[in-house]
Amino acid sequence: MEIVAFERGHFSSYSACGIPYWVGGDVPERDRLIARSPEEHRARDIDLRMRTEVVEIDVEGARVRARDVDSGVESWTSYDKLVIATGARPIRPSLSGVDAPGVHGVQTLDDGQALLDSLSATEGRRAVVVGAGYIGVEMAEALINRGYEVTVVNRGKEPMSTLDPDMGRLVHKAMEGLGIIMVNDSEVTGFRTGDDGRVGAVVTADAEYPADVVVLGIGVRPETELAKAAGLPLGDRGGLLTDLSMRVRGHENIWAGGDCVEVLDLVSGRERHIPLGTHANKHGQIIGANVGGGYATFPGVVGTAVSKVCDLEIARTGLREKDARRVGLQFETVTIESTSRAGYYPGSAPMTVKMLAERRTGRLLGVQIVGREGAGKRVDIAAVALTAGMTVEQMTSLDLGYAPPFSPVWDPILVAARKAVAAIRSSV
Amino acid sequence: MEIVAFERGHFSSYSACGIPYWVGGDVPERDRLIARSPEEHRARDIDLRMRTEVVEIDVEGARVRARDVDSGVESWTSYDKLVIATGARPIRPSLSGVDAPGVHGVQTLDDGQALLDSLSATEGRRAVVVGAGYIGVEMAEALINRGYEVTVVNRGKEPMSTLDPDMGRLVHKAMEGLGIIMVNDSEVTGFRTGDDGRVGAVVTADAEYPADVVVLGIGVRPETELAKAAGLPLGDRGGLLTDLSMRVRGHENIWAGGDCVEVLDLVSGRERHIPLGTHANKHGQIIGANVGGGYATFPGVVGTAVSKVCDLEIARTGLREKDARRVGLQFETVTIESTSRAGYYPGSAPMTVKMLAERRTGRLLGVQIVGREGAGKRVDIAAVALTAGMTVEQMTSLDLGYAPPFSPVWDPILVAARKAVAAIRSSV
């Protein structure tokens, strides 16, 4: 196969998920985040054209128009098979001052470098993070680790809106414990700039938060302008729609994957936009197999995600309460407190597990975990159980690993499952 | 219900699994291992008779004969329903010197206390552990932590015979790295005692290993002498046989659970003896529900276990190669090296995952993991997948938690599953 790849940026394959840890200093240098350089791709016979942006897809003519970013020169390239992997674009609100120096997104390596340069360029130690999702809390950690006074301004009632608010509240309290100032229920209305034109404060309806640097972490949208212009099918969330083989629906020779597509949520049966590297990597592998004449499918996701703020681990899989309600499910919720290890074993740390199970059937619908070491990856137990369609009753007899340094004799997931069984029984 | 409970020892509900950590000093005092004291049981209206050994079960007469251990006085107690939870008995080889002072088992709290007293009573710092299963390696860790020179004498080719030898070899190397002397392929033939009558060395066919203290960790057998004498059904491994409700087969009013029963291995379809607290606790809960007129079942196990030696984590679930062969399964095995976190994230540690999958069907048969922090509990992913009967192909699309501090973007379990898929395909 003759493979031509276009990339408008300066970097080819890198871990965007690692950017907060590079900014925070855990990862010492940018190049550690690069999985494969353009040269390495080319050594594999991929004609990789860097700093070259595809500006049009001509589906009828089976060709793309690409522009050299620096020279502006354009040319058409024909294809037999096309793979769209345009990723996601950070949401940048159209507010006054949003483009001022000192206001940063953190989507690309270029963004990360710009933020680090900005941090070096200012004496001030006050940072405001706008948004309290994964990127927001990870950037709050990064900036705390660099010695900044950090304020997080969040539109929602609690941080981490991928959790139910009762679990988000645990994150809120832990962040405050780390010295982060959490401002919830607060919409940013603009950014005040100083005489030097640089950002000086984040403005909300109620208050002004002085800022020497601002990080925007208010989410991303699928980067599908090109696909939309080409008439390719988009879902409610703006992502490309594919079939199980990652082929764009209705288009025999076009595939799409990564942050620019919507994925099937196996628990709710709905399409969702979940921009995560773990899905994108699977998509790449599957598209590669299919384009190459093999066979592989991406059956969907259950919505697993894990993150941390300093030593607080945050994980979720499946549906939140509002997700379940939205698709007409009735359910019971239980929340339990347990520990990461046997209570008597040193380092045993508290862990809160919330579990949702469908009324009557008892089918597991979702799990959220907030705790310390050992809390995050425990969500995988629930992720596999969700994939298998297990009931909480079935989960109570799961044969999970036990030894005092690893778990209480009843793993926290089992404790939650037992309580969920009781809740389902009493609800009838 | 009127509940009478007999216990021949000094302690009622305690964590035997915690004994190595108490001996090693991680758990500061014995009473931390006690879950519920006799007084607490009695406060719940349980007529708990300590230091009282049941010496006969009269099934026909529905009564048990119990003996007060101290006074020798015996009496009969009638029952409507009987629960047998006699546990397991450590294997004590009938070798010369095995009863000498300084030779210790570690099954009960009393054993643990005797070992600690013995360690205090000797100046010597040479310890020999006989056996290299869970108890053997945990006791080796405990004694290293207390500053002993530790030699482990092991009958098998490699330590941890619950793993395949190729994975056991990784444990072997790691133990040597900790300064533990590993002697494999070596059968103990006796114990040499000194002039004071105390143990002085462990003797094998080839050598003698000087020892100031000896710990036996060569496994346990179901404690079913009583049950056998009463004519209750025992399996090939000497454990009581129950139905799914934990009722002893053929006996309407007798239940049994914990280390004295055999459990159904869901992967091989055979009965096994797996003396683990996690199963025993589930049995207790299920028996309680059923005896109380409720309904609960124990469907079986997949053979999950996790342990550690210092910072080396060891985990397994499902079948080893020889288990699979024994039940007539043909399979492929793959072994992969991965890391606990994204490679660029600090603290990322190597992890080896071995996976067995059935030929043709691709059904997951077993997983073994040896690594550092984060390796052990990853086995739970495979344990749930085994329970659900997943194929390795299905596993490749599992939606597992990913963020750089928690996992590479392809979790090690997914990397192994992908390699297993390739192996199955090429084997046809």
Side-chain angles (χ1 to χ4, degrees), chain B residues 79-405:
Chain B
Y79 62 81
D80 296 314
K81 302 183 180 194
L82 176 67
V83 177
I84 302 174
T86 42
R89 185 166 31 95
I91 295 168
R92 222 177 155 87
S94 54
L95 296 173
S96 68
V98 72
D99 294 321
V103 180
H104 295 271
V106 282
Q107 175 75 358
T108 65
L109 283 189
D110 287 320
D111 293 340
Q113 190 63 61
L115 171 58
L116 280 169
D117 293 345
S118 180
L119 294 175
S120 306
T122 172
E123 296 278 297
R125 310 300 292 171
R126 295 165 308 182
V128 176
V129 176
V130 180
Y134 294 105
I135 296 296
V137 301
E138 287 168 6
M139 288 308 303
E141 168 182 339
L143 291 161
I144 279 279
N145 285 349
R146 292 185 71 95
Y148 283 78
E149 293 167 30
V150 178
T151 301
V152 176
V153 179
N154 171 39
R155 199 167 59 173
K157 263 192 198 155
E158 296 292 353
M160 294 303 294
S161 64
T162 53
L163 305 180
D164 285 322
D166 53 341
M167 296 296 282
R169 181 152 189 83
L170 303 179
V171 180
H172 173 172
K173 291 293 155 201
M175 288 173 78
E176 287 183 342
L178 294 165
I180 296 167
I181 298 166
M182 272 301 314
V183 182
N184 291 313
D185 255 329
S186 204
E187 187 103 31
V188 172
T189 56
F191 302 89
R192 193 170 52 69
T193 52
D195 295 340
D196 57 356
R198 203 179 149 80
V199 74
V202 172
V203 183
T204 69
D206 308 317
E208 229 184 81
Y209 301 93
D212 301 302
V213 67
V214 173
V215 174
L216 300 177
I218 47 182
V220 299
R221 293 221 178 87
E223 178 70 277
T224 49
E225 288 300 316
L226 263 184
K228 190 179 178 185
L232 298 178
L234 303 185
D236 291 345
R237 275 124 200 110
L240 275 155
L241 295 176
T242 73
D243 67 11
L244 292 170
S245 75
M246 302 309 296
R247 187 182 258 126
V248 172
R249 292 185 198 168
H251 293 267
E252 189 65 23
N253 297 319
I254 306 179
W255 281 261
D259 291 0
C260 67
V261 304
E262 296 189 5
V263 291
L264 177 64
D265 179 333
L266 296 169
V267 189
S268 67
R270 298 281 179 88
E271 308 282 340
R272 293 175 60 190
H273 181 236
I274 304 182
L276 279 180
T278 177
H279 305 322
N281 267 271
K282 290 191 184 85
H283 293 167
Q285 189 268 328
I286 287 158
I287 294 170
N290 290 323
V291 168
Y295 175 62
T297 61
F298 184 77
V301 305
V302 293
T304 312
V306 59
S307 188
K308 77 180 189 74
V309 200
C310 298
D311 69 343
L312 187 81
E313 301 189 358
I314 307 160
R316 55 96 67 216
T317 190
L319 307 183
R320 292 165 301 180
E321 294 193 22
K322 68 176 179 183
D323 302 321
R325 268 188 219 106
R326 190 179 292 143
V327 293
L329 289 165
Q330 290 190 18
F331 54 89
E332 296 292 326
T333 70
V334 295
T335 303
I336 62 101
E337 305 287 331
S338 182
T339 55
S340 57
R341 307 175 179 186
Y344 56 76
Y345 194 86
S348 181
M351 187 182 307
T352 305
V353 179
K354 178 171 180 171
M355 187 173 281
L356 278 71
E358 192 187 8
R359 190 178 157 196
R360 295 185 61 88
T361 69
R363 180 170 63 109
L364 178 69
L365 295 179
V367 164
Q368 298 164 41
I369 310 177
V370 175
R372 309 282 157 174
E373 189 185 87
K377 281 290 271 179
R378 258 187 176 81
V379 81
D380 287 345
I381 297 165
V384 186
L386 276 172
T387 306
M390 285 187 184
T391 66
V392 287
E393 180 106 32
Q394 289 172 318
M395 289 178 74
T396 60
S397 54
L398 282 174
D399 183 4
L400 304 179
Y402 161 64

Side-chain angles (χ1 to χ4, degrees), chain A residues 366-395:
Chain A
V367 164
Q368 297 163 40
I369 310 177
V370 176
R372 308 283 158 173
E373 189 185 87
K377 281 290 272 180
R378 259 189 175 78
V379 81
D380 287 345
I381 298 166
V384 185
L386 276 173
T387 305
M390 286 188 184
T391 66
V392 287
E393 181 106 32
Q394 290 172 318
M395 289 178 73

Side-chain angles (χ1 to χ4, degrees), chain A residues 128-166:
Chain A
V128 175
V129 176
V130 180
Y134 294 105
I135 295 295
V137 302
E138 287 168 5
M139 288 308 304
E141 169 183 338
L143 292 161
I144 279 279
N145 285 350
R146 292 186 70 96
Y148 282 78
E149 295 168 29
V150 179
T151 301
V152 176
V153 179
N154 171 37
R155 199 166 61 172
K157 262 191 196 153
E158 296 292 354
M160 293 303 293
S161 64
T162 53
L163 306 179
D164 285 321
D166 52 343

